[in-house]
Amino acid sequence: MCHRNRNRLFFILLWGVLSVVLQSVGRFHFYHIEQYQLFLFDKTYVFSTLRKVGGLSLLSYEFLAQFFIYPYAGALITSTLLTLTGVSVYLLLRRIDRDSMFVYILSLLPVFSLLFIQLDFNYIMQGTVAYLMASVSLYVYWKFGSVRWKLAYSVLCTFLLFWWGGPVAVLFAMTVAVRELFSKSAQGFLLLIPCAEAFLLAYLSVRYAFVGEYRFAILPDLYYQKSLVPSGLLLYMSWISLWLGMVATVLLRSRCKSWSGKKGIAGIAVQVILSGIILFYGIRAYGDRRSLKFKEMEYYNRCGRFDKIIDMNRGAVSNYLYLCFLNLSLAKKGELADRLFTFDQKGPQSLFIPMNNSHMSSMLLCDIYYAIGHTGAAMNMAFEANISSPGHRTGRMLQRLVETNLIYGEYAVAEKYIALLEKSFYYRSWAREMRRYLYNEKAVNGNPEFEKRRKSLPENDFLFSAQLQDRELIALSVSNPENRTPIEYVGAMYLLMKNMDLFKGLIDTYWGTEVLSALPLSFQEAVIVLNENDSASWEERGVSRAVIMRFEQFKKFVLENKNNPRPADFVKKSYGDTYWYYFMFKQ
């Protein structure tokens, strides 16, 4: 096989492998990051983005990310970017040594580094686009023969890369310097000028507030969430591995030059095996299974596939985010208070995670409050998620802001968000459909969802308060007794807190009214706990005969196993799905 065909086959196979790996490991990752970037077909947005340091790479990433909502698109687009990066690095290393046996594996090291950091949801794929820009620019640089043309090109390219790609200009300039260290040209030292230029541009960008800190102007930290400091070296490995690859190619230039015969076949085989080992262990080390599971639940919640989320949370669960998705799914199916203790609940944070001003927690709380019918809190969380998201604009939360403002009749505000979504690709048709509700009370009241949520608006609206959310949720059920979700969330919260005084007050006030005309299963079990010594009152408070009989069996079973070294384990096997077990044995 000729050299050119071998190269084509190698990189086609690389693209295929990366596509399969990214689709199998990261398909929910791409759905997740799509919602945090909203590309707008708008001149003001485009030109304002291009004026930023790294603006072209950011704009390119946001353009590509809008397609990640479609199945397979994220994996195919990302694998294409990574493969093109591999091709450009390979061609770059071959300019150093055309016959090096190990140029394939050396060209893949930056690709694998970018692949692994890609799976970190705090990483912004703008960095991958910028890296490709830099590697292509370096390949073009190697084609110039004279120092004069090299200097002119590198000076211009450093400026353009800093403007369009950000700190990859430093990568470009320092790579040029590393290359020229091995050059025999007497004027090679002139190629240190782009390095000085890159650091001068970094200084000026911070001095005049184009970027906030030097690390965003010099290091790939610009391609990571600004509020976080990257831990470890993974973010920087794509830069380091490029330089190490160049040095290794130079050092191996006088060795292993023949691709012919068994030696060539063995060399390729060794590189394939090493690549497989790096890929396998890299995915295991950096795949971040916990966040991938969260992203999977987030996607199922977005698509309304609640049974999937419920099935994912059977058995032991230790993550509050997972439990919030679980209980939200149960509430969506109308089963929260009946099936609450069928699962491994961990306290009131299983229902509401604490607000920490992060975009992920705000989006989850927004979905929870919207499902409950707390339109005001959902609007507040949607706004928080929108401004705290990496792109300061999230399509899904803009949709929620449109919905909540239409429910409140704030048509001018809803129109502003609709106008934004109409400039996007994926959300455009939905936004145009929402436009028919603007300034049209009859149309809004004719929409079953909007009508139902308007009924739940309290007569006296209130500012959302996490400390008073139980009172606010009760007020929602009082405003619209048909919506049982708020009162069930309040009761579930009291039970998870084991605050029987608050639960007793809830039952005493609302049991038998249209707000709480029938007690769900977990509430019945808790009523027995409230009145354990007054069995005559159980049925009067809505406890069924089946629940009473099971409690008698539970009590007998506990007494029989009280002397066992770990009685909770014995009780859990038969009664772990009851509030009685949670109340007695869970911390």
Side-chain angles (χ1 to χ4, degrees), residues 372-375 408 452-463 468-491 493-494 506 509-510 514-515:
I372 291 173
H374 197 333
T375 303
Y408 271 106
K452 178 181 69 175
R453 294 182 184 281
R454 279 191 164 184
K455 287 181 180 179
S456 295
L457 295 177
E459 294 182 4
N460 299 314
D461 205 1
F462 39 73
L463 293 174
L468 301 175
Q469 66 180 351
D470 55 339
R471 301 182 193 179
E472 297 171 3
L473 296 183
I474 291 171
L476 297 177
S477 283
V478 171
S479 298
N480 180 18
E482 295 177 10
N483 182 14
R484 292 184 55 189
T485 306
I487 199 79
E488 289 193 359
Y489 253 90
V490 172
M493 181 168 59
Y494 292 160
L506 185 74
T509 304
Y510 296 105
E514 57 181 352
V515 174

